[in-house]
Every structure is written in C-alpha cells, then in structure tokens.
Amino acid sequence: MLEPSSQPPDHLISPITPPPSPPPASTPTKPNQFLSLISNRPSLRVTSEFDSDSRVFFHKVSCKLFDDLAKLKLSFVNNVKREISEPLLALTTKHLSIHYDPEEQNALIKSSFDVSPKLHFKAAHDVKAKRGEVAMISNLADPGYAVELSSPVPYVGLPKATIRFPMGEVTLEEREEEEEEVPRKLLINGILKGPILNGVGAAHYTDEELKLRYSYKDGALSFIPSISLPSNAVSFAFKRRFSPSDKLSYWYNFDSNGWSAVYKHTYDKDFKFKAGYDSEVRLGWASLWVGEENGKAKTSPMKMKVQFMLQVPQDDIKSSALMFRVKKRWDIL
C-alpha cells in the first residue's frame, strides 16, 4: 500500500510569479534656472517709522546677500512736502562695513578682525575728511585685563593708550590745546569702581573733573548720591519698586534745585505706561508704548511699535500736544 504523499496536489501549489520588471530609467530633467533664481533671491525687509512731531517718515530697506555673509541697507526720509531724500547706503559684513552718503559724496569705512586669539585690530577711515583711526587691542592672560593702543591717521602726536582691568580703566591721551603756541599736553582719564558698604562706589575722572558716585540697591530700593569736584555739584537719584510692574524714580539736583520724577507701569512686555514731570523745563508728560520700548519691531505684536505721548506745559496748558510715533516692519520674500 502506498503511503500518502506529504506534498499537496499539484493544483493547490501556488504558481511562481516572475519578479516585476524594473521601471524604465527616467531621463534627468534639467532644473529650471529661472525658478532656482527666484527661490534663492534675497528676502527684503522694509521698516517704516512716522513721527507726528516732525511729520517725517523714516524708511529702511535691507536684505542679506551671499547666504547671510553680507547685508545691504538703504535708508531715506520722506518729509511732509512728499520730498524724498537721497538714500544712505550701507554694506556690512563680519569684518568690513561701508556707509556711503550720496548727498555729501562721502564714505565711512570700518574694518575689524582678529590677528590672533588675543589680539584684535580695528580701523576707521573718513574718505572726504581724509582722516581715520587705527587701534590694536590685546587681551592679557587674566580675564578682564586688556590694553588698547589707538592713533589717528595721519599720525599726530603720541598714540592713545587705554588699560582696562576688572575695577575700571585708565586712559593716557596727548591732546592739543586750542591755542597754537601752547604745546600738547598729556591727559589722564579714568574710571574706578568697587564694592563699598553694601553698594558700589565709582570715581570718574575726565577733563580735570572728578565725579564721585555711590549706588545702593536691594530688591525694591535704589539710592544713588553723586558729587562733582571741584564744582561741588551734589545730586541724588531715588528709585522705588512697589511691585514687579510698578516703579517710581526721582532725581534732585541741589545746585539748581531742579528735580524730575517718573512713574512706570508695565502691563506686559509689550505694553508700558510712563508719566513724569521735569521742573527745569516745567513740563509734565505721559506716554504709552505698544511693543517693547527698547526692543525691535520684529518682536512686537504684528511687527509694529506704537508710542503715544502727551506733553502738558505747566505755564500754558492750552498748548498741550498729543504726539505719536509708529514703527512697522514688513518681510518681503
């Protein structure tokens, strides 16, 4: 007797299907140079600002070139008579900047680069005035210490030397007097600061005048007295923070009896209200900022900053003026 076969009948065996034939090789298409040029074109950034007091529009048009290696900027003014000034041109890179004024037919050229990890070179040249300045800055081994030597071009007298250290800096400079017969003299200017009595003391000596300043600050209070010698002019500033969003600042000058006060309230990073009074000009004022006051328009809501200001003269309230300033940015791809 035959044993049953372990293989299924032939009609139950799945037919072997041949592998699919490879698709025909596609011919490479040549990229469209016009579309490539459009997609790689630099994006434009337009910023416009209007000042109601001067009734002048300030415009800036900028774009980045060569994969963000350089930036080209044009700025011009449009006044109330619809007259447009000649644009100021600026080309800036990491190590070189050129600012050209077509109306004055003048260019200001600046350059800076690292000669070595601790040696930096910078230079500036005014083409029309035919003068400039060159400087070398050396960072010493210890952090916070540096020496800078700078000299005008064409060369006149000794170079200016500045020594910087963690507690301040000292500058030696040869200066020419207004009278031609008087020889040039060497002047010493400097700043020295350091901790004193839970605060920071600072001494600033320049042009034979010494200004002494002490600053005490804690979480909510700041007190800053200062005196100038030899004029003996004394003043002080007082700042009080009532909450993270409320701050009052007061300044008084004993020599002129002039004073000023400013109150500031912030609703958010993009909303700030300020009000103040200045006794020297006898003027009260209030302003409202929409958009960060010291920030750029690109970080503000709708990329726009608006400031409203009300000025009220104490001697003539009827001549009060409401002014506003608007700054808007557009990104054109």
Side-chain angles (χ1 to χ4, degrees):
M1 183 176 176
L2 297 177
E3 296 181 357
S5 173
S6 61
Q7 298 294 332
D10 293 342
H11 64 274
L12 295 179
I13 298 177
S14 302
I16 299 176
T17 57
S21 58
S26 59
T27 59
T29 59
K30 186 178 181 180
N32 192 316
Q33 296 182 356
F34 178 75
L35 295 178
S36 176
L37 179 62
I38 293 180
S39 61
N40 294 331
R41 78 182 193 279
S43 59
L44 295 179
R45 178 179 300 167
V46 181
T47 304
S48 297
E49 182 175 352
F50 175 74
D51 188 350
S52 65
D53 186 22
S54 58
R55 296 184 179 182
V56 171
F57 283 92
F58 302 91
H59 305 283
K60 293 181 181 179
V61 182
S62 62
C63 66
K64 295 183 178 180
L65 307 174
F66 312 115
D67 292 334
D68 296 346
L69 294 178
K71 182 178 182 180
L72 178 65
K73 181 173 69 175
L74 287 79
S75 57
F76 56 95
V77 176
N78 185 10
N79 59 21
V80 68
K81 298 181 181 179
R82 299 182 180 179
E83 298 174 345
I84 300 178
S85 65
E86 294 190 33
L88 302 177
L89 306 178
L91 178 65
T92 58
T93 64
K94 183 178 179 181
H95 302 293
L96 177 67
S97 66
I98 302 174
H99 298 263
Y100 178 71
D101 187 348
E103 185 176 356
E104 296 291 336
Q105 294 185 354
N106 187 25
L108 179 62
I109 305 173
K110 295 182 179 181
S111 178
S112 63
F113 55 89
D114 292 329
V115 180
S116 66
K118 295 184 179 181
L119 188 62
H120 184 76
F121 172 83
K122 62 180 182 179
H125 180 67
D126 190 321
V127 175
K128 190 173 183 179
K130 296 182 179 180
R131 63 170 179 261
E133 186 182 50
V134 294
M136 295 289 290
I137 304 172
S138 175
N139 297 319
L140 304 181
D142 295 332
Y145 291 88
V147 177
E148 177 179 352
L149 295 176
S150 60
S151 175
V153 178
Y155 173 77
V156 178
L158 297 175
K160 176 182 176 181
T162 301
I163 302 174
R164 299 186 179 93
F165 47 93
M167 297 182 63
E169 66 179 39
V170 176
T171 300
L172 288 81
E173 180 181 8
E174 190 180 35
R175 186 173 300 178
E176 184 178 1
E177 297 294 333
E178 296 181 357
E179 301 178 4
E180 296 182 357
E181 298 180 357
V182 178
R184 299 169 63 90
K185 63 179 182 178
L186 187 64
L187 299 179
I188 300 177
N189 301 324
I191 300 175
L192 182 64
K193 58 183 179 180
I196 300 177
L197 299 176
N198 298 325
V200 178
H204 187 189
Y205 182 78
T206 178
D207 295 334
E208 300 181 354
E209 182 180 11
L210 177 62
K211 295 182 180 180
L212 301 176
R213 183 171 181 255
Y214 175 74
S215 177
Y216 170 80
K217 297 181 180 180
D218 61 11
L221 178 67
S222 298
F223 181 68
I224 309 172
S226 62
I227 181 173
S228 297
L229 301 174
S231 62
N232 295 327
V234 180
S235 64
F236 76 90
F238 172 81
K239 299 179 182 181
R240 179 73 166 86
R241 183 178 293 276
F242 301 97
S243 68
S245 59
D246 293 275
K247 183 179 180 180
L248 176 65
S249 301
Y250 179 81
W251 175 85
Y252 183 78
N253 191 325
F254 289 91
D255 188 32
S256 62
N257 290 328
W259 63 276
S260 65
V262 176
Y263 169 75
K264 180 173 66 175
H265 178 80
T266 56
Y267 296 93
D268 195 359
K269 183 183 70 173
D270 297 320
F271 297 93
K272 181 183 294 184
F273 171 77
K274 298 170 69 175
Y277 177 80
D278 192 333
S279 66
E280 293 187 354
V281 295
R282 300 174 65 85
L283 179 70
W285 57 271
S287 69
L288 175 65
W289 275 95
V290 180
E292 191 174 358
E293 181 179 0
N294 298 322
K296 297 183 179 180
K298 67 177 182 179
T299 60
S300 303
M302 298 184 295
K303 297 183 179 181
M304 181 173 65
K305 294 174 58 177
V306 183
Q307 180 193 16
F308 298 94
M309 173 170 281
L310 175 64
Q311 292 185 349
V312 183
Q314 181 177 345
D315 300 327
D316 189 5
I317 298 179
K318 293 183 179 180
S319 63
S320 302
L322 177 63
M323 299 171 290
F324 65 93
R325 181 180 299 172
V326 182
K327 187 175 183 179
K328 174 66 176 174
R329 167 181 157 175
W330 295 270
D331 292 326
I332 305 175
L333 300 178

